[in-house]
């Protein structure tokens, strides 16, 4: 399934951190793409010599990808999902304008109103970030 971002997650510009979904398997996984542009709002106050995307923003994009796997479950329609926390986040490099990032979140556990997922961010086929994410469904 390949839903539109606006049809699944409630965030809108400038807080919508992903461009499009590649695939969403309800309750199982989701993958998405983000093309980093020099015009992104978070580059506004940085010097142009070495623009780097703030890492918390990429964790948020990973979380938004995971939210799609949860909200696409029919019984979760109309509910809210909150990002509950990060465990074991590791970064191998920074993210820069021109990068095409692929996010994937695999849900490891969904029980009642708590979800645990494992997310990765790939650039050019290389894993740049991994994190375990906690979600709360309300």
């Amino acid at each position: 399934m390949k839903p539109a971002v606006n049809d699944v997650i409630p965030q809108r510009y400038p807080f919508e951190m992903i461009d499009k979904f590649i695939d969403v398997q309800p309750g199982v996984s989701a993958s998405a793409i983000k093309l980093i542009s020099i015009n992104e709002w978070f580059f506004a106050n940085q010097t142009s010599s070495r623009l780097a995307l703030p890492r918390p923003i990429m964790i948020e994009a990973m979380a938004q990808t995971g939210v799609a796997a949860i909200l696409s479950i029919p019984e979760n329609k109309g509910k809210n999902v909150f990002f509950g926390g990060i465990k074991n986040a590791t970064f191998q490099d920074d993210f820069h304008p021109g990068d095409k990032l692929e996010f994937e979140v695999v849900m490891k556990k969904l029980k009642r109103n708590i979800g645990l997922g494992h997310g990765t961010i790939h650039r050019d086929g290389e894993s740049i970030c991994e994190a375990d994410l906690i979600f709360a469904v309300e």
Side-chain angles (χ1 to χ4, degrees):
M1 175 167 91
K2 224 163 123 173
V5 174
N6 290 339
D7 291 341
V8 181
I9 63 172
Q11 289 84 358
R12 299 296 179 257
Y13 180 83
F15 302 107
E16 183 180 287
M17 302 298 167
I18 56 178
D19 293 334
K20 71 177 184 175
F21 290 112
I22 299 169
D23 188 40
V24 176
Q25 299 298 316
V28 177
S29 66
S31 55
I33 289 179
K34 172 71 175 170
L35 300 173
I36 308 296
S37 164
I38 192 130
N39 297 320
E40 303 284 357
W41 62 268
F42 33 78
F43 291 135
N45 293 324
Q46 292 188 34
T47 60
S48 62
S49 61
R50 185 78 172 139
L51 295 174
L53 197 136
R55 290 177 174 183
I57 289 177
M58 289 297 86
I59 294 290
E60 174 62 25
M62 190 186 303
Q64 289 179 13
T65 303
V67 164
I70 297 169
L71 288 181
S72 62
I73 299 171
E75 55 267 22
N76 288 341
K77 186 175 174 90
K79 292 186 178 181
N80 289 318
V81 178
F82 298 97
F83 184 30
I86 311 161
K87 292 173 66 177
N88 307 321
T90 59
F91 290 85
Q92 308 306 319
D93 198 3
D94 288 324
F95 307 99
H96 306 284
D99 286 350
K100 178 181 178 183
L101 305 177
E102 295 181 26
F103 300 89
E104 182 179 19
V105 176
V106 176
M107 299 308 299
K108 299 295 184 183
K109 188 175 187 181
L110 273 173
K111 191 168 186 174
R112 299 183 197 236
N113 63 340
I114 299 295
L116 301 174
H118 182 76
T120 56
I121 303 174
H122 290 89
R123 178 180 59 212
D124 299 326
E126 180 184 351
S127 178
I128 304 299
C129 175
E130 288 192 45
D132 294 317
L133 309 171
I134 302 167
F135 300 94
V137 182
E138 183 180 275

